[in-house]
Short mmCIF file of all heavy atoms in Angstrom, two decimals:
data_model
loop_
_atom_site.label_atom_id
_atom_site.label_comp_id
_atom_site.label_asym_id
_atom_site.label_seq_id
_atom_site.Cartn_x
_atom_site.Cartn_y
_atom_site.Cartn_z
N LEU A 26 100.43 38.56 -63.42
CA LEU A 26 99.85 38.98 -64.68
C LEU A 26 98.62 39.81 -64.33
O LEU A 26 97.72 39.33 -63.63
CB LEU A 26 99.43 37.78 -65.53
CG LEU A 26 100.55 36.86 -66.02
CD1 LEU A 26 99.95 35.68 -66.78
CD2 LEU A 26 101.52 37.63 -66.90
N ALA A 27 98.59 41.04 -64.76
CA ALA A 27 97.50 41.94 -64.38
C ALA A 27 96.93 42.61 -65.63
O ALA A 27 97.67 43.19 -66.42
CB ALA A 27 98.00 43.00 -63.40
N VAL A 28 95.61 42.51 -65.77
CA VAL A 28 94.92 43.13 -66.89
C VAL A 28 93.90 44.11 -66.33
O VAL A 28 93.02 43.73 -65.56
CB VAL A 28 94.23 42.09 -67.79
CG1 VAL A 28 93.48 42.78 -68.92
CG2 VAL A 28 95.25 41.11 -68.36
N LYS A 29 94.03 45.36 -66.74
CA LYS A 29 93.16 46.43 -66.24
C LYS A 29 92.04 46.72 -67.22
O LYS A 29 92.23 46.71 -68.43
CB LYS A 29 94.00 47.70 -66.02
CG LYS A 29 93.18 48.94 -65.70
CD LYS A 29 94.06 50.17 -65.65
CE LYS A 29 93.23 51.43 -65.49
NZ LYS A 29 94.08 52.64 -65.46
N ARG A 30 90.87 47.01 -66.65
CA ARG A 30 89.72 47.44 -67.44
C ARG A 30 89.18 48.73 -66.81
O ARG A 30 89.11 48.85 -65.59
CB ARG A 30 88.65 46.35 -67.44
CG ARG A 30 87.31 46.77 -68.02
CD ARG A 30 86.36 45.58 -68.12
NE ARG A 30 86.70 44.78 -69.27
CZ ARG A 30 86.53 43.46 -69.35
NH1 ARG A 30 86.07 42.79 -68.30
NH2 ARG A 30 86.84 42.80 -70.44
N HIS A 31 88.79 49.67 -67.65
CA HIS A 31 88.20 50.91 -67.17
C HIS A 31 86.84 50.62 -66.55
O HIS A 31 86.01 49.92 -67.14
CB HIS A 31 88.05 51.91 -68.32
CG HIS A 31 87.55 53.26 -67.90
ND1 HIS A 31 88.39 54.29 -67.57
CD2 HIS A 31 86.28 53.73 -67.73
CE1 HIS A 31 87.68 55.34 -67.22
NE2 HIS A 31 86.39 55.03 -67.31
N TRP A 32 86.63 51.14 -65.36
CA TRP A 32 85.37 50.94 -64.66
C TRP A 32 84.34 51.97 -65.14
O TRP A 32 84.68 53.15 -65.30
CB TRP A 32 85.57 51.09 -63.15
CG TRP A 32 84.36 50.83 -62.32
CD1 TRP A 32 83.55 51.75 -61.74
CD2 TRP A 32 83.80 49.55 -62.00
NE1 TRP A 32 82.53 51.14 -61.06
CE2 TRP A 32 82.66 49.79 -61.20
CE3 TRP A 32 84.16 48.23 -62.30
CZ2 TRP A 32 81.87 48.75 -60.70
CZ3 TRP A 32 83.38 47.20 -61.80
CH2 TRP A 32 82.25 47.46 -61.02
N PRO A 33 83.09 51.57 -65.34
CA PRO A 33 82.06 52.53 -65.78
C PRO A 33 81.88 53.66 -64.76
O PRO A 33 81.64 53.41 -63.57
CB PRO A 33 80.80 51.67 -65.86
CG PRO A 33 81.29 50.27 -66.01
CD PRO A 33 82.57 50.20 -65.23
N ASP A 34 81.99 54.90 -65.22
CA ASP A 34 81.99 56.04 -64.31
C ASP A 34 80.69 56.18 -63.54
O ASP A 34 80.68 56.72 -62.42
CB ASP A 34 82.25 57.33 -65.10
CG ASP A 34 83.65 57.38 -65.68
OD1 ASP A 34 84.56 56.80 -65.07
OD2 ASP A 34 83.84 58.01 -66.73
N GLU A 35 79.57 55.71 -64.10
CA GLU A 35 78.29 55.92 -63.44
C GLU A 35 78.04 54.98 -62.26
O GLU A 35 77.14 55.21 -61.45
CB GLU A 35 77.13 55.79 -64.44
CG GLU A 35 76.93 54.41 -65.02
CD GLU A 35 77.69 54.20 -66.33
OE1 GLU A 35 78.80 54.76 -66.47
OE2 GLU A 35 77.16 53.49 -67.20
N ILE A 36 78.83 53.91 -62.15
CA ILE A 36 78.64 52.98 -61.03
C ILE A 36 79.55 53.41 -59.88
O ILE A 36 80.77 53.40 -59.99
CB ILE A 36 78.96 51.53 -61.44
CG1 ILE A 36 78.06 51.09 -62.59
CG2 ILE A 36 78.76 50.60 -60.24
CD1 ILE A 36 78.30 49.68 -63.05
N LYS A 37 78.91 53.81 -58.78
CA LYS A 37 79.62 54.26 -57.60
C LYS A 37 79.65 53.15 -56.56
O LYS A 37 78.95 52.14 -56.67
CB LYS A 37 78.94 55.50 -57.01
CG LYS A 37 78.63 56.59 -58.02
CD LYS A 37 79.87 57.14 -58.69
CE LYS A 37 79.50 58.27 -59.65
NZ LYS A 37 80.69 58.80 -60.37
N ILE A 38 80.45 53.39 -55.54
CA ILE A 38 80.64 52.40 -54.48
C ILE A 38 80.14 52.97 -53.15
O ILE A 38 80.47 54.10 -52.79
CB ILE A 38 82.13 52.04 -54.34
CG1 ILE A 38 82.73 51.61 -55.70
CG2 ILE A 38 82.33 50.98 -53.28
CD1 ILE A 38 82.08 50.41 -56.31
N VAL A 39 79.34 52.19 -52.45
CA VAL A 39 78.92 52.54 -51.10
C VAL A 39 79.62 51.59 -50.14
O VAL A 39 79.55 50.36 -50.29
CB VAL A 39 77.39 52.42 -50.93
CG1 VAL A 39 77.00 52.69 -49.48
CG2 VAL A 39 76.68 53.41 -51.86
N LEU A 40 80.32 52.15 -49.16
CA LEU A 40 81.03 51.36 -48.17
C LEU A 40 80.33 51.44 -46.82
O LEU A 40 79.93 52.53 -46.39
CB LEU A 40 82.47 51.88 -48.00
CG LEU A 40 83.36 51.89 -49.24
CD1 LEU A 40 84.70 52.55 -48.91
CD2 LEU A 40 83.57 50.50 -49.78
N ALA A 41 80.19 50.31 -46.18
CA ALA A 41 79.76 50.26 -44.79
C ALA A 41 80.92 49.68 -44.00
O ALA A 41 81.27 48.50 -44.15
CB ALA A 41 78.51 49.40 -44.63
N ILE A 42 81.54 50.51 -43.17
CA ILE A 42 82.79 50.16 -42.50
C ILE A 42 82.54 49.97 -41.01
O ILE A 42 82.38 50.96 -40.27
CB ILE A 42 83.85 51.26 -42.72
CG1 ILE A 42 83.99 51.57 -44.23
CG2 ILE A 42 85.19 50.85 -42.13
CD1 ILE A 42 84.83 52.80 -44.52
N PRO A 43 82.47 48.74 -40.53
CA PRO A 43 82.25 48.51 -39.09
C PRO A 43 83.39 49.06 -38.25
O PRO A 43 84.50 49.31 -38.74
CB PRO A 43 82.19 46.98 -39.00
CG PRO A 43 81.75 46.54 -40.36
CD PRO A 43 82.44 47.50 -41.30
N ASP A 44 83.10 49.22 -36.96
CA ASP A 44 84.08 49.81 -36.06
C ASP A 44 85.04 48.79 -35.48
O ASP A 44 85.69 49.05 -34.46
CB ASP A 44 83.38 50.57 -34.93
CG ASP A 44 82.49 49.68 -34.07
OD1 ASP A 44 82.44 48.46 -34.35
OD2 ASP A 44 81.86 50.19 -33.14
N PHE A 45 85.17 47.62 -36.12
CA PHE A 45 86.14 46.64 -35.65
C PHE A 45 86.97 46.14 -36.83
O PHE A 45 86.53 46.14 -37.97
CB PHE A 45 85.46 45.46 -34.95
CG PHE A 45 84.47 44.70 -35.80
CD1 PHE A 45 84.87 43.68 -36.64
CD2 PHE A 45 83.12 45.03 -35.74
CE1 PHE A 45 83.96 42.99 -37.42
CE2 PHE A 45 82.19 44.34 -36.52
CZ PHE A 45 82.62 43.32 -37.36
N GLU A 46 88.20 45.73 -36.53
CA GLU A 46 89.12 45.24 -37.55
C GLU A 46 88.93 43.74 -37.74
O GLU A 46 88.39 43.05 -36.90
CB GLU A 46 90.57 45.53 -37.14
CG GLU A 46 90.87 47.00 -36.96
CD GLU A 46 92.31 47.26 -36.55
OE1 GLU A 46 93.05 46.27 -36.33
OE2 GLU A 46 92.70 48.43 -36.45
N MET A 47 89.40 43.25 -38.90
CA MET A 47 89.41 41.82 -39.18
C MET A 47 90.83 41.41 -39.53
O MET A 47 91.52 42.12 -40.27
CB MET A 47 88.47 41.46 -40.33
CG MET A 47 87.00 41.74 -40.07
SD MET A 47 86.32 40.86 -38.65
CE MET A 47 86.54 39.16 -39.17
N ASN A 48 91.26 40.26 -39.02
CA ASN A 48 92.57 39.72 -39.34
C ASN A 48 92.45 38.82 -40.57
O ASN A 48 91.74 37.82 -40.54
CB ASN A 48 93.11 38.93 -38.15
CG ASN A 48 94.50 38.40 -38.40
OD1 ASN A 48 94.70 37.47 -39.18
ND2 ASN A 48 95.48 38.99 -37.74
N THR A 49 93.12 39.20 -41.65
CA THR A 49 93.01 38.46 -42.90
C THR A 49 93.43 37.00 -42.74
O THR A 49 92.79 36.10 -43.29
CB THR A 49 93.84 39.14 -44.00
OG1 THR A 49 93.39 40.49 -44.17
CG2 THR A 49 93.70 38.39 -45.32
N THR A 50 94.49 36.77 -41.99
CA THR A 50 94.97 35.40 -41.79
C THR A 50 93.93 34.55 -41.09
O THR A 50 93.66 33.41 -41.48
CB THR A 50 96.28 35.39 -40.99
OG1 THR A 50 97.27 36.17 -41.69
CG2 THR A 50 96.80 33.98 -40.81
N GLU A 51 93.31 35.11 -40.05
CA GLU A 51 92.26 34.37 -39.34
C GLU A 51 91.05 34.11 -40.23
O GLU A 51 90.45 33.04 -40.19
CB GLU A 51 91.85 35.15 -38.09
CG GLU A 51 92.92 35.18 -37.01
CD GLU A 51 92.46 35.93 -35.78
OE1 GLU A 51 91.27 36.32 -35.74
OE2 GLU A 51 93.27 36.12 -34.87
N MET A 52 90.68 35.11 -41.03
CA MET A 52 89.54 34.93 -41.92
C MET A 52 89.84 33.89 -43.01
O MET A 52 88.96 33.19 -43.49
CB MET A 52 89.15 36.26 -42.55
CG MET A 52 88.57 37.24 -41.55
SD MET A 52 87.04 36.64 -40.79
CE MET A 52 85.88 36.98 -42.10
N ARG A 53 91.10 33.77 -43.38
CA ARG A 53 91.51 32.75 -44.35
C ARG A 53 91.35 31.35 -43.76
O ARG A 53 91.00 30.40 -44.46
CB ARG A 53 92.95 33.02 -44.78
CG ARG A 53 93.50 32.14 -45.88
CD ARG A 53 92.85 32.42 -47.21
NE ARG A 53 93.47 33.49 -47.93
CZ ARG A 53 93.27 33.72 -49.22
NH1 ARG A 53 92.47 32.95 -49.92
NH2 ARG A 53 93.83 34.73 -49.83
N ARG A 54 91.61 31.24 -42.46
CA ARG A 54 91.48 29.95 -41.80
C ARG A 54 90.03 29.46 -41.76
O ARG A 54 89.79 28.27 -41.55
CB ARG A 54 92.03 30.03 -40.37
CG ARG A 54 93.53 30.23 -40.28
CD ARG A 54 94.01 29.93 -38.87
NE ARG A 54 95.39 30.37 -38.69
CZ ARG A 54 95.75 31.44 -38.00
NH1 ARG A 54 94.84 32.17 -37.39
NH2 ARG A 54 97.02 31.76 -37.87
N ALA A 55 89.10 30.36 -41.92
CA ALA A 55 87.68 29.96 -41.91
C ALA A 55 87.30 29.19 -43.17
O ALA A 55 86.24 28.55 -43.21
CB ALA A 55 86.80 31.20 -41.77
N LEU A 56 88.14 29.24 -44.18
CA LEU A 56 87.80 28.63 -45.47
C LEU A 56 88.17 27.16 -45.50
O LEU A 56 89.17 26.74 -44.91
CB LEU A 56 88.52 29.37 -46.60
CG LEU A 56 88.32 30.88 -46.65
CD1 LEU A 56 89.03 31.47 -47.84
CD2 LEU A 56 86.84 31.25 -46.66
N PRO A 57 87.41 26.34 -46.21
CA PRO A 57 87.74 24.91 -46.31
C PRO A 57 88.95 24.71 -47.21
O PRO A 57 89.25 25.54 -48.07
CB PRO A 57 86.48 24.31 -46.95
CG PRO A 57 85.90 25.43 -47.75
CD PRO A 57 86.18 26.68 -46.96
N GLU A 58 89.65 23.59 -47.02
CA GLU A 58 90.81 23.29 -47.85
C GLU A 58 90.41 22.80 -49.23
O GLU A 58 91.20 22.85 -50.17
CB GLU A 58 91.69 22.24 -47.16
CG GLU A 58 92.34 22.75 -45.88
CD GLU A 58 93.30 21.74 -45.29
OE1 GLU A 58 93.49 20.66 -45.91
OE2 GLU A 58 93.88 22.01 -44.22
N SER A 59 89.19 22.30 -49.38
CA SER A 59 88.71 21.85 -50.69
C SER A 59 87.22 22.14 -50.79
O SER A 59 86.52 22.28 -49.78
CB SER A 59 88.97 20.35 -50.88
OG SER A 59 88.28 19.60 -49.90
N VAL A 60 86.76 22.26 -52.03
CA VAL A 60 85.34 22.50 -52.30
C VAL A 60 84.88 21.55 -53.39
O VAL A 60 85.69 20.93 -54.10
CB VAL A 60 85.08 23.96 -52.74
CG1 VAL A 60 85.47 24.93 -51.64
CG2 VAL A 60 85.84 24.29 -54.03
N SER A 61 83.58 21.46 -53.57
CA SER A 61 83.04 20.57 -54.58
C SER A 61 83.23 21.16 -55.98
O SER A 61 83.38 22.38 -56.14
CB SER A 61 81.55 20.33 -54.34
OG SER A 61 80.82 21.53 -54.58
N ILE A 62 83.22 20.30 -56.97
CA ILE A 62 83.27 20.76 -58.36
C ILE A 62 82.09 21.69 -58.64
O ILE A 62 82.24 22.71 -59.33
CB ILE A 62 83.24 19.56 -59.33
CG1 ILE A 62 84.60 18.83 -59.30
CG2 ILE A 62 82.93 20.01 -60.75
CD1 ILE A 62 85.73 19.60 -59.92
N ALA A 63 80.92 21.35 -58.10
CA ALA A 63 79.73 22.17 -58.34
C ALA A 63 79.93 23.60 -57.84
O ALA A 63 79.58 24.58 -58.52
CB ALA A 63 78.52 21.54 -57.68
N ASP A 64 80.53 23.74 -56.64
CA ASP A 64 80.76 25.08 -56.10
C ASP A 64 81.85 25.82 -56.88
O ASP A 64 81.75 27.03 -57.10
CB ASP A 64 81.14 25.00 -54.62
CG ASP A 64 79.95 24.67 -53.73
OD1 ASP A 64 78.80 24.70 -54.24
OD2 ASP A 64 80.16 24.38 -52.53
#
């Protein structure tokens, strides 16, 4: 289910792109399996 909203034209994006790649699967493993209700 996807709902699109028009982005405000005046807000631009600045990217800082490091010279190394990241593995999404490995970065996912860094996350805990559960979090607190507060978080």
